[in-house]
Amino acid sequence: MKQLDPLLSRYGVVGDVVSLSRYRGLSGLSSYGVDLGSAFPGLESHQDNRMVAGGHALGDKDRARLLAIAEGCERYSGAQFGTDGVVTAAAHDLDGRVLDWSRIPRLSDAEYAHPRCPLVPFDPAAPIRWVQGVDLRDGESTWLPLSMAAYRSAHRSPAERFVAGISTGSAVHTDPASAVFGGLGEVVERDMIAILWLQKLPLPHIPLGFLDERELTLIEWAHDHFLETVLLDATSDIGIPTVYCLQTAPHDRTIRTMVGCGTGLTMQDAAYKALLEVTCFRDSLHMEWNEPESFADYTDISDGAKYMGKPENAGHFAFLIDDRPDRPPFQDRGRYAADAAEGLTRAVGRFAELDMPVIAVERTTTELASVGLHSVTVVIPDLQPMSLVPLAQYHAHPRLYSAPAAMGYRVLPVEELNPCPQPFA
C-alpha cells in the first residue's frame, strides 16, 4: 500500500498527505487529503490555483490514504506539461480521423447571449490545440481538442473556451482497464447528475433492504446524527449502476441539503461511493463562505452546493422525494460485470449500439509511470456534461432531451428546465 509514497515531496507530484476529520461514532471511517500546489511548473500556488484531493474508506485506513494520493495524481496529470503530441491547427487541416465537432456539447443561444457567459461556440475554422486519443469502439486514433482531454491545460486561447475545464473522465489506476473503466464510469455518472437535475427526474427510491452492511452503517450513523438519507437509482440508458444520494439535515442552519453520486459494478458499490461523498464532504461545505453577488460570479466548485444547501432552498429538491405517481418502482438489475475489464467491454459495446464515440487519451506522466500508475481521460462527447458554472449548462445539447425519453421519463422543454445551480460539488 506504500507504492505511491515515492511521489510524496514538497517538490514532487503530491506535496503532503494528511489525516482529515474524525467522525464521532464512526471510528472505522478514514479520510485523507493531499495538497498539490498549482501543478504547473514555475507557477506559484495561490488560493485560486491550488489543487486538493481526498480519499475515503470504511474499515481500511491504508486504502483511504492510497486513494487520496491516487486522486492527487489524477489531478496532477490533468495539466499539460509539454508540447509532445500536441498540434495546433484548424479542424479541417488535420490528417486522419477527427472528432465530429457537431457532437461537441453546446450552450443554448440564450446562454451564449448572456454578457457574462464564459464559453463560446466551437469554431472548426479556428486554430486550436489538438491531441490524439483512441476510439475504443474500433481502436482508431482520433484527434480531439486538448481542452477536452486535459482539463487543466494552461494558456487557453479564446477559441478553446468552448468547454469548461472539469475533471470528468480523468482516472488513474495500476491496471489500465480499471483506469479506463473508472474514467468512463465518471462520464456516465456526471451525465446523469446533470440530466436528473436539469430535467427534474423523479428517480426510483432504493429500499434499505437492498443494501449491504457497509452502506447501512453509514446510513445508521447519519440517522443517529439527525441526518435523513434517501438513495435513488440514477442508472441511465447506458446501464452502468449509478446511485444518487440526497441527505437532509433538518436542524442545520447552514447546509440543510446536500447530494452525492457514484457508479460501480453493482448498485451497492455505487451507493457506497455516494454515501461516502455526503458523509465526508459535509464539513467542507460548512467552511466560511463569502457568497458571490450573482450566479455569474460562481467560480469555486462548491459555490452551487453551498447555495443550494441553504435551508431556504430545500424545497427545490422536492421532486426527488415527493410521493408522486410518475416515480417508477426500483428494479434490481443485478451485477453489471465481474470486473472492470468485462465492464469496459460491455460499456463500449453499448456506446457502439448508440453510435457514440468513446475516446480514451493517454495522460500518464513520467512520474506516474515510475510507480506503475496509468492515467487516462475518457471523452464521450454525446453525453451531457455536468457543469458547475450556472451560466453554462449546455441547454442545447441533444442528450439533455433524448436521455429522459430513452429512460421512460417525461421531457421538459428548455424553458422549463431547472433554473437552480447544480448542487453537486
Side-chain angles (χ1 to χ4, degrees), residues 104-121 161-162 164 194 198 295-296 384-398 400-401 414-415 417-422:
I104 293 175
R106 284 180 51 86
L107 309 187
S108 66
D109 291 342
E111 288 177 293
Y112 285 128
H114 194 286
R116 296 285 301 278
C117 178
L119 303 184
V120 298
R161 300 183 185 278
F162 56 89
L198 290 169
F295 292 159
Q384 182 72 22
M386 182 201 77
S387 175
L388 302 179
V389 182
L391 299 185
Q393 293 296 306
Y394 303 94
H395 284 173
H397 197 36
L400 181 55
Y401 308 95
V414 63
E415 60 271 14
L417 294 175
N418 195 337
C420 298
Q422 172 58 245

Side-chain angles (χ1 to χ4, degrees), residues 84-420:
D84 289 348
V86 179
V87 171
T88 299
H92 297 289
D93 296 332
L94 292 165
D95 292 328
R97 181 189 290 182
V98 180
L99 174 69
D100 178 0
W101 55 83
S102 69
R103 298 176 181 266
I104 293 175
R106 284 180 51 86
L107 309 187
S108 66
D109 291 342
E111 288 177 293
Y112 285 128
H114 194 286
R116 296 285 301 278
C117 178
L119 303 184
V120 298
F122 177 79
D123 180 2
I128 61 172
R129 293 171 295 174
W130 298 79
V131 292
Q132 283 189 311
V134 175
D135 191 329
L136 299 179
R137 298 175 302 167
D138 56 15
E140 288 293 318
S141 294
T142 304
W143 289 103
L144 75 161
L146 176 66
S147 56
M148 300 179 74
Y151 70 98
R152 291 186 62 81
S153 55
H155 312 299
R156 291 194 181 191
S157 67
E160 290 179 315
R161 300 183 185 278
F162 56 89
V163 291
I166 192 169
S167 64
T168 299
S170 299
V172 300
H173 204 282
T174 54
D175 172 55
S178 295
V180 177
F181 184 68
L184 183 151
E186 186 174 67
V187 182
V188 170
E189 168 195 312
R190 293 187 174 181
D191 166 72
M192 271 302 287
I193 290 173
I195 292 169
L196 74 87
W197 184 250
L198 290 169
Q199 284 283 350
K200 296 188 279 191
L201 300 185
L203 302 176
H205 289 183
I206 301 174
L208 294 182
F210 182 73
L211 304 174
D212 290 336
E213 181 179 354
R214 59 181 180 174
E215 296 89 66
L216 292 174
T217 296
L218 293 171
I219 292 174
E220 290 169 2
W221 176 86
H223 181 266
D224 291 343
H225 289 75
F226 308 103
L227 302 173
E228 301 170 358
T229 306
V230 177
L231 295 177
L232 304 103
D233 182 2
T235 305
S236 71
D237 54 318
I238 305 303
I240 299 177
T242 305
V243 173
Y244 194 74
C245 178
L246 175 71
Q247 195 169 80
T248 306
H251 307 290
D252 194 324
R253 297 180 180 178
T254 303
I255 301 297
R256 177 70 52 84
T257 315
M258 66 179 298
V259 300
C261 195
T263 56
L265 293 174
T266 67
M267 291 294 287
Q268 290 84 355
D269 289 343
Y272 174 61
K273 293 177 183 178
L275 285 164
L276 280 180
E277 281 194 345
V278 296
T279 302
C280 298
F281 294 157
R282 179 169 291 278
D283 284 350
S284 66
L285 295 185
H286 281 85
M287 296 177 66
E288 184 178 353
W289 183 46
N290 294 320
E291 184 175 351
E293 293 184 1
S294 72
F295 292 159
D297 299 314
Y298 278 30
T299 57
D300 188 83
I301 62 172
S302 64
D303 281 341
K306 290 177 178 177
Y307 174 80
M308 292 307 302
K310 296 194 294 185
E312 57 266 35
N313 290 324
H316 294 295
F317 296 87
F319 70 93
L320 292 168
I321 55 178
D322 280 353
D323 184 14
R324 43 194 294 174
D326 59 342
R327 189 181 306 282
F330 172 72
Q331 296 181 339
D332 180 8
R333 298 178 178 85
R335 187 177 183 89
Y336 183 73
D339 54 27
E342 182 181 312
L344 179 59
T345 299
R346 179 176 176 182
V348 171
R350 176 58 176 156
F351 283 114
E353 291 175 359
L354 296 172
D355 188 31
M356 294 183 180
V358 183
I359 302 172
V361 183
E362 177 68 58
R363 300 296 306 164
T364 307
T365 66
T366 302
E367 303 97 322
L368 270 57
S370 71
V371 294
L373 281 180
H374 301 270
S375 177
V376 299
T377 296
V378 177
V379 179
I380 309 175
D382 289 281
L383 294 190
Q384 182 72 22
M386 182 201 77
S387 175
L388 302 179
V389 182
L391 299 185
Q393 293 296 306
Y394 303 94
H395 284 173
H397 197 36
R399 172 72 177 173
L400 181 55
Y401 308 95
S402 64
M407 292 181 280
Y409 294 104
R410 53 93 182 100
V411 182
L412 297 179
V414 63
E415 60 271 14
E416 295 180 25
L417 294 175
N418 195 337
C420 298

